[in-house]
Amino acid sequence: MAAGPALWLGPLLLVSLWGSSAPASLLRRLREQIQRFQESSVLSLSLDTGAAALPKEGWLEQPLDPFNASDKRSFLQRYWINDQHWASQDGPVFLHLGGEGSLGPGSVMKGHPAALAPALRALVIGLEHRFYGLSIPAGGLTMAQLRFLSSRHALADVVSARLALSRLLNVSSSSPWVCFGGSYAGSLAAWARLKFPHLLFAAVASSAPVRAVLDFSSYNEVVSRSLTSAAIGGSPECRAAASSAFAEVEQRLRAGGAVRAALRAELGACASLGRAENRVELLEALQALVGGAVQYDGQAGAPLSVRQLCGLLLEGRSNGSRPDPYHGLRRAAQVVMHSLGQKCLSFSRAETLAQLRVTEPQVSGVGDRQWLYQTCTEFGFYVTCEDPTCPFSQLPALPSQLELCEQVFGLSTSSIAQAVAQTNSYYGGQTPGATHVLFVNGDTDPWHVLSVTQALGPSVSALLIPGASHCFDMAPERPSDSPSLHLGRQSIFQQLQTWLKLAKETPVRAGV
Ligand SMILES: *[C@@H]1O[C@H](CO)[C@@H](O)[C@H](O)[C@H]1NC(C)=O
Ligand SMILES: *[C@@H]1O[C@H](CO)[C@@H](O)[C@H](O)[C@H]1NC(C)=O
Ligand SMILES: *[C@@H]1O[C@H](CO)[C@@H](O)[C@H](O)[C@H]1NC(C)=O
């Protein structure tokens, strides 16, 4: 373990900087805000119970290029440890993998896997992903550096962290290690088990999009379906209202002149809408607003649930006056901007580009540049609305999204398509062939269509939780959680019990 900066408050400080007005993808801001809520509840927990309850922060010295032994450069990777429940050296270890953002102390204190630790007497370790949060190599985010950012590098880090922390913490060689993660990190958890079964006994992969896809048009198919789901406050009328709100936005954009200027002020578009590319930015942000309400439905810190969004879009309907969906969308935009502390919902394409080109890590705080790089070189995941039944604007189209890879990194469209195909052949897409993996998804989450939602034989199980949004199973329990979510979390617990029993009967002896 290398000594590192004692920046315990790092993630909170970083988050507060992100409240600025710099352009960043709306979905990623929402994600950070939800994480901030969880972190602040850990902070208040520790204020209540004293510093003893705080997790320990540590730093591992990792090779920058794990695939080239003659390259001696290294970087410091941050991790968190909660050993309060770990009863003996041969108890289980829950390794919570970070994804495309910072990983704070909440990762080992709250929600899954931490909430499972007391009953299963597990050691909980959180490992931040290289190039995100405070685990950014010296030299920042230049192209020369970003060569060392990929899921394969991240998996190499998992292996070396697994070996180093075993020694450091005197973990018994018979202890089963179980990986956890949500979203991209959920894919990493499954892939870690797939590629290194001798080191990692099992994995719980939450909302893991294991199939890479260039044109992710099915994202908006699920968003559209979820807007009609009565279980979460949607209805066919709500989807129709969303559709007519978008149609009206497009109509007002076409009208130009004073109408367009009014729309700009009403929806919080900070850039002039005279330019087509800025109109696309606005439509993209509005889609992310609706997509975000679905993706993070019901979660603490999310500014708008599906029920609230539908309430705004259909306001006036209950008392017999005609609803005004455009007005509702406008209100929704204000709610989201206010909640995120942003004065703009969308920025100019030029500003967005300039921000994505910044190679100093602290400025592009939410990791937009790094994640864009990973989508351009591994995953795609570009959300489009090309299907004629898609209720939103058909803009932004795929080419304008792919253009970002070219403009920011000089990567061609054909190289991206190739990279996406390569990722699927390397990991196996939706049939990864791993054992001891539990895939957990929510059926209203737009990402579940890229995950595994049906058991693939006896040792790969799948749980599809009705009415649950993205990674909801990992969030701290709340009284407002639905019965199906509660049941889903119980199934995860039971699966872990089964695995840990199996591990006891057939001890893994990693010879390292
Ligand atoms: C490996 O690292 C050495 C030392 O930095 C460097 O000279 C060499 O080009 C690297 N090889 C590859 C394949 O990157
Ligand atoms: C490591 O754990 C073993 C039990 O697994 C124990 O016998 C030994 O004393 C421990 N060593 C240290 C340095 O804590
Ligand atoms: C119906 O409700 C809307 C929104 O709450 C309000 O603006 C409108 O004045 C109401 N109309 C009547 C007739 O009460």
Side-chain angles (χ1 to χ4, degrees):
M1 180 175 59
L7 276 176
W8 185 84
L9 284 171
L12 297 166
L13 293 177
L14 279 173
V15 167
S16 63
L17 291 177
W18 299 334
S20 71
S21 59
S25 118
L26 189 63
L27 270 180
R28 295 182 57 74
R29 280 211 192 269
L30 291 173
R31 177 185 180 279
E32 298 301 333
Q33 162 128 328
I34 287 162
Q35 196 187 351
R36 173 169 28 162
F37 258 71
Q38 293 183 14
E39 294 297 345
S40 64
S41 68
V42 169
L43 194 66
S44 60
L45 179 88
S46 58
L47 291 177
D48 291 348
T49 53
L54 284 179
K56 303 181 187 86
E57 185 190 43
W59 298 83
L60 282 170
E61 190 172 349
Q62 297 272 31
L64 181 65
D65 187 350
F67 308 122
N68 180 357
S70 40
D71 189 335
K72 301 297 179 203
R73 288 172 296 171
S74 64
F75 75 101
L76 292 178
Q77 183 170 28
R78 180 167 62 161
Y79 64 90
W80 299 95
I81 289 188
N82 174 358
D83 57 7
Q84 285 173 60
H85 312 289
W86 199 37
S88 74
Q89 310 297 126
D90 61 356
V93 183
F94 292 168
L95 184 57
H96 185 171
L97 303 181
E100 71 284 19
S102 70
L103 194 73
S107 62
V108 295
M109 298 296 283
K110 287 246 170 172
H112 279 183
L116 300 160
L120 299 170
R121 302 178 161 250
L123 172 66
V124 190
I125 300 175
L127 184 66
E128 191 166 69
H129 195 293
R130 61 163 60 202
F131 284 91
Y132 294 98
L134 298 184
S135 300
I136 300 181
L141 307 173
T142 60
M143 272 304 268
Q145 292 282 107
L146 289 177
R147 277 199 304 128
F148 304 110
L149 167 61
S150 75
S151 58
R152 296 176 209 201
H153 288 92
L155 292 176
D157 293 338
V158 171
V159 168
S160 55
R162 152 78 173 83
L163 298 176
L165 292 172
S166 283
R167 281 191 298 272
L168 186 74
L169 304 167
N170 193 24
V171 179
S172 160
S173 61
S174 63
S175 288
W177 285 61
V178 182
C179 285
F180 291 77
S183 199
Y184 159 54
S187 301
L188 288 177
W191 295 336
R193 166 65 192 170
L194 172 71
K195 300 291 186 189
F196 308 102
H198 58 299
L199 295 174
L200 304 159
F201 189 76
V204 179
S206 297
S207 304
V210 285
R211 176 163 66 93
V213 63
L214 193 64
D215 184 340
F216 190 12
S217 60
S218 46
Y219 182 98
N220 275 327
E221 281 169 35
V222 183
V223 169
S224 167
R225 198 182 327 138
S226 296
L227 286 178
T228 67
S229 164
I232 54 172
S235 63
E237 293 77 19
C238 175
R239 180 175 58 184
S243 178
S244 70
F246 274 86
E248 182 154 352
V249 170
E250 288 199 303
Q251 196 193 332
R252 289 181 188 220
L253 284 175
R254 277 192 303 269
V259 176
R260 196 192 268 164
L263 172 130
R264 181 182 165 189
E266 287 166 1
L267 294 178
C270 281
S272 156
L273 297 175
R275 296 182 75 96
E277 57 182 22
N278 297 345
R279 297 199 285 275
V280 173
E281 294 287 305
L282 172 64
L283 289 165
E284 191 167 49
L286 288 170
Q287 265 186 56
L289 180 152
V290 177
V294 170
Q295 180 167 326
Y296 296 114
D297 179 61
Q299 303 197 22
L304 211 55
S305 66
V306 168
R307 190 177 301 281
Q308 288 162 330
L309 174 66
C310 290
L312 292 173
L313 292 173
L314 294 171
E315 202 165 50
R317 199 161 147 270
S318 52
N319 66 7
S321 52
R322 262 172 68 87
D324 179 353
Y326 172 77
H327 182 76
L329 187 63
R330 198 178 131 185
R331 292 269 310 276
Q334 281 153 5
V335 168
V336 169
M337 281 188 285
H338 182 256
S339 166
L340 296 178
Q342 284 185 195
K343 86 177 199 305
C344 313
L345 188 73
S346 74
F347 302 84
S348 70
R349 174 85 168 188
E351 276 178 286
T352 300
L353 263 179
Q355 189 67 27
L356 286 167
R357 286 180 172 140
V358 171
T359 58
E360 283 89 47
Q362 66 274 24
V363 184
S364 45
V366 295
D368 271 344
R369 176 174 165 85
Q370 298 96 301
W371 182 241
L372 177 67
Y373 181 81
Q374 287 200 265
T375 65
C376 298
T377 52
E378 294 190 86
F379 304 120
F381 294 150
Y382 303 111
V383 173
T384 61
C385 187
E386 286 152 357
D387 189 289
T389 62
C390 178
F392 314 120
S393 167
Q394 310 240 328
L395 300 166
L398 189 60
S400 93
Q401 305 199 49
L402 291 174
E403 210 177 51
L404 274 185
C405 299
E406 168 79 53
Q407 291 172 325
V408 178
F409 303 117
L411 295 165
S412 71
T413 299
S414 63
S415 79
I416 306 161
Q418 232 166 30
V420 166
Q422 243 273 307
T423 299
N424 288 330
S425 67
Y426 184 71
Y427 293 118
Q430 282 166 301
T431 49
T435 56
H436 293 187
V437 180
L438 171 60
F439 287 95
V440 185
N441 284 281
D443 75 352
T444 54
D445 172 19
W447 292 92
H448 82 268
V449 291
L450 300 181
S451 190
V452 176
T453 54
Q454 277 179 344
L456 303 170
S459 56
V460 174
S461 15
L463 194 62
L464 185 61
I465 305 175
S469 58
H470 195 59
C471 300
F472 211 164
D473 56 296
M474 298 187 82
E477 263 181 63
R478 287 195 302 164
S480 56
D481 292 340
S482 73
S484 53
L485 181 58
H486 191 71
L487 271 176
R489 290 198 180 111
Q490 268 177 354
S491 307
I492 298 172
F493 178 72
Q494 281 156 6
Q495 176 66 80
L496 281 163
Q497 272 183 317
T498 307
W499 278 335
L500 296 180
K501 190 158 164 279
L502 186 69
K504 261 215 154 62
E505 287 161 2
T506 53
V508 268
R509 301 235 171 255
V512 280

